[in-house]
Amino acid sequence: MMKLSILVSFYALATPVAAFMAPQAKTAPTSTALFAEANGGSKKVIVLGGDGFCGWPTSLHLSDAGHDVVVVDNLSRRNIDTELGCDSLTPIQPPEVRIQAWKEVSGKEMKFVNLDVAKEYDLLVQLIKEEKPDAIVHFAEQRAAPYSMKNSKAKRYTVDNNVGGSNNLCCAVIDAEVDAHIVHLGTMGVYGYGTSGGEIPEGYIDVTLPGGRESNILHPAYPGSVYHATKCLDALLWQFYQKNDQLRITDLHQGIVWGTNTPQTALDERLINRFDYDGDYGTVLNRFLMQAAMDVPLTVYGTGGQTRAFIHITDTARCIELAISNPPAPGDRVEIFNQVAETRRVRDIAELVASMTGVDVNFIPNPRQEAAENELDVSNRKFCNLGLDPITLDTGLFDEVTEIVKKYKSRCNPTKILPASFWNKKRAEECATIDPSSITIKEKAEA
């Protein structure tokens, strides 16, 4: 068994950190463009949820690599910003402005379609018929575990939107009679975060059934939130529609994403990716880096003994393209990849950030119903065998996030930093002492 901890060169794309800091002139074709050409050339790709944190940089990455990209989104995440009273720290532009900016910078065109995958089924079928995509990337799901636990309304919305959208997508591909490869962004959370007792394989696990019969089955699900439960339900839908209708499907169990910009989003400020820092949508490492840059004590939930898998946003986009370029053959079972770079314990990450910045670390009551401590050993051999050289948690790359935070710190609402969603009544009672108004932003003296 191998403990996942991959050491790589400073930056797997051989791109200097400065590339993430300022716009660049258009250069020669990227390595991903050459890879796509070697693996069937340009593909027509529909990216569902293409306006979001993972969807937008992936859309640009695929376009930059020579693929014909159609961005589809109902802008629900922007509407949730309004609901929560908390905008992206970075000033993200409307989709039409983003698309035009990309055309000006790259010379490449992308189409934007405002469509609700979970509610506008007929329009989805029509779109697939008209575009005849080679692949459909499915990001169009409510992606935050804390938001999915906020209240009954959020729980019901998460189930209706996520599971209904995934089912609609499968039905639409069948009704459109288009042989499109579905690439779904799942989560490592489908496996659960208990102590597994060994390395978690990629999707399927060898078991011995009663009577000594050996089999290879879908790894048991152990969700820790309504959001994670929807990803488990998605996984069962993929299994059914592959078996029943021979759909070609790849499910990517992704770790926690960190970072903000990619080489493409850094080309023009109008292309900048969203940055969430609030207690519902802010991912843990990005929250820590934001808090440190603003001299706000890091908020570690519980003991900080939770071990999680991590991946940089650039690698998210690269993994999606690797999946698109390596589809399962017709009739093959659902392909499953663990889309992670490494695993780290939360308190260790907090200590790393604190040692770099001198900021304090605060341990606060845990709003989540989860094990206080857990181990996490994960296999990611499939993507590595396809050529992924993953970016690991490197302090040099932290600078990119820190610079973004410093630039846009005036947009931060400090009352949104602490957790505001609680898994159950007991957790809410234990967190009753958490005071959102206690967070204040200090002006750091420049060195």
Side-chain angles (χ1 to χ4, degrees):
M1 298 298 180
M2 178 186 72
K3 176 91 172 186
L4 182 62
S5 181
I6 300 172
L7 299 178
V8 300
S9 58
F10 171 66
Y11 182 38
L13 294 181
T15 304
V17 174
F20 291 83
M21 306 283 190
Q24 299 176 337
K26 189 66 181 168
T27 58
T30 62
S31 59
T32 49
L34 298 175
F35 182 90
E37 183 177 353
N39 288 267
S42 174
K43 297 179 183 292
K44 170 67 75 67
V45 183
I46 293 178
V47 181
L48 305 177
D51 184 57
F53 174 55
C54 293
W56 176 243
T58 298
S59 297
L60 294 184
H61 176 90
L62 294 174
S63 177
D64 191 37
H67 301 290
D68 184 4
V69 177
V70 179
V71 177
V72 176
D73 207 294
N74 69 339
L75 308 184
S76 61
R77 180 64 190 88
R78 295 178 186 244
N79 294 332
I80 291 174
D81 280 343
T82 301
E83 174 192 337
L84 298 178
C86 185
D87 291 332
S88 164
L89 187 70
T90 50
I92 55 174
Q93 297 299 314
E96 293 79 8
V97 174
R98 285 177 148 185
I99 296 291
Q100 180 60 32
W102 178 242
K103 181 179 180 180
E104 293 173 11
V105 169
S106 69
K108 300 176 184 292
E109 294 194 18
M110 294 194 300
K111 181 188 298 184
F112 173 72
V113 179
N114 191 324
L115 188 153
D116 190 323
V117 175
K119 294 181 178 179
E120 298 177 307
Y121 180 75
D122 291 343
L123 294 179
L124 179 62
V125 174
Q126 181 182 342
L127 177 70
I128 295 172
K129 282 183 176 180
E130 291 176 352
E131 297 294 343
K132 295 181 173 55
D134 300 294
I136 301 174
V137 181
H138 182 22
F139 291 114
E141 297 185 286
Q142 194 291 105
R143 64 174 176 84
Y147 181 82
S148 79
M149 301 300 294
K150 196 170 195 67
N151 49 43
S152 295
K153 178 182 177 182
K155 291 174 182 177
R156 293 168 56 242
Y157 167 72
T158 300
V159 171
D160 291 347
N161 181 78
N162 293 10
V163 181
S166 295
N167 188 56
N168 278 359
L169 174 58
C170 291
C171 292
V173 169
I174 295 166
D175 286 349
E177 299 182 326
V178 173
D179 181 25
H181 170 210
I182 295 173
V183 178
H184 172 250
L185 189 71
T187 172
M188 282 295 301
V190 299
Y191 301 120
Y193 290 114
T195 300
S196 64
E199 183 185 66
I200 295 177
E202 303 201 59
Y204 300 95
I205 187 170
D206 294 325
V207 298
T208 301
L209 301 173
R213 293 170 293 151
E214 294 184 352
S215 185
N216 182 255
I217 65 171
L218 190 67
H219 194 286
Y222 196 58
S225 72
V226 169
Y227 158 76
H228 292 107
T230 65
K231 297 293 188 174
C232 296
L233 294 170
D234 284 344
L236 294 179
L237 286 175
W238 310 139
Q239 294 292 323
F240 170 74
Y241 281 109
Q242 185 283 321
K243 179 185 70 172
N244 192 70
D245 300 280
Q246 291 74 55
L247 294 189
R248 295 184 300 125
I249 302 171
T250 298
D251 200 8
L252 307 175
H253 295 337
Q254 179 168 261
I256 297 171
V257 183
W258 67 282
T260 305
N261 275 327
T262 65
Q264 292 78 30
T265 65
L267 291 173
D268 188 293
E269 190 167 12
R270 294 170 295 172
L271 300 174
I272 196 169
N273 197 22
R274 70 175 298 123
F275 185 105
D276 296 307
Y277 63 89
D278 62 286
D280 281 337
Y281 276 88
T283 59
V284 61
L285 179 52
N286 277 5
R287 283 194 298 106
F288 284 172
L289 293 172
M290 183 279 300
Q291 290 171 300
M294 295 186 176
D295 202 20
V296 172
L298 309 185
T299 48
V300 177
Y301 300 165
T303 67
Q306 308 93 332
T307 303
R308 297 293 183 263
F310 292 88
I311 186 170
H312 192 272
I313 186 63
T314 296
D315 278 344
T316 292
R318 296 173 66 220
C319 287
I320 294 294
E321 188 181 11
L322 283 170
I324 290 172
S325 299
N326 294 273
D332 283 358
R333 70 178 181 177
V334 176
E335 181 65 88
I336 301 176
F337 292 83
N338 290 338
Q339 189 165 304
V340 304
E342 61 183 331
T343 62
R344 294 284 188 100
R345 202 176 295 275
V346 170
R347 63 171 171 259
D348 294 340
I349 294 175
E351 290 171 4
L352 174 63
V353 174
S355 67
M356 290 167 43
T357 62
V359 73
D360 293 333
V361 178
N362 281 354
F363 291 83
I364 66 174
N366 193 346
R368 301 179 180 224
Q369 184 69 36
E370 63 184 2
E373 308 271 336
N374 74 280
E375 301 298 326
L376 185 64
D377 298 344
V378 184
S379 171
N380 69 346
R381 295 181 185 88
K382 287 184 180 180
F383 270 132
C384 290
N385 289 340
L386 291 176
L388 179 70
D389 193 10
I391 300 167
T392 54
L393 302 186
D394 190 295
T395 55
L397 287 177
F398 290 174
D399 292 342
E400 179 259 329
V401 178
T402 301
E403 290 302 315
I404 288 289
V405 171
K406 288 179 178 178
K407 183 174 182 179
Y408 300 109
K409 64 185 299 183
S410 64
R411 292 173 53 86
C412 175
N413 181 347
T415 66
K416 301 298 182 181
I417 292 175
L418 293 177
S421 296
F422 309 98
W423 262 233
N424 51 43
K425 289 183 179 180
K426 181 181 179 181
R427 291 296 182 181
E429 291 170 357
E430 292 176 354
C431 295
T433 57
I434 294 176
D435 179 11
S437 64
S438 65
I439 300 294
T440 58
I441 297 174
K442 303 174 184 177
E443 290 292 337
K444 272 191 169 182
E446 295 296 332

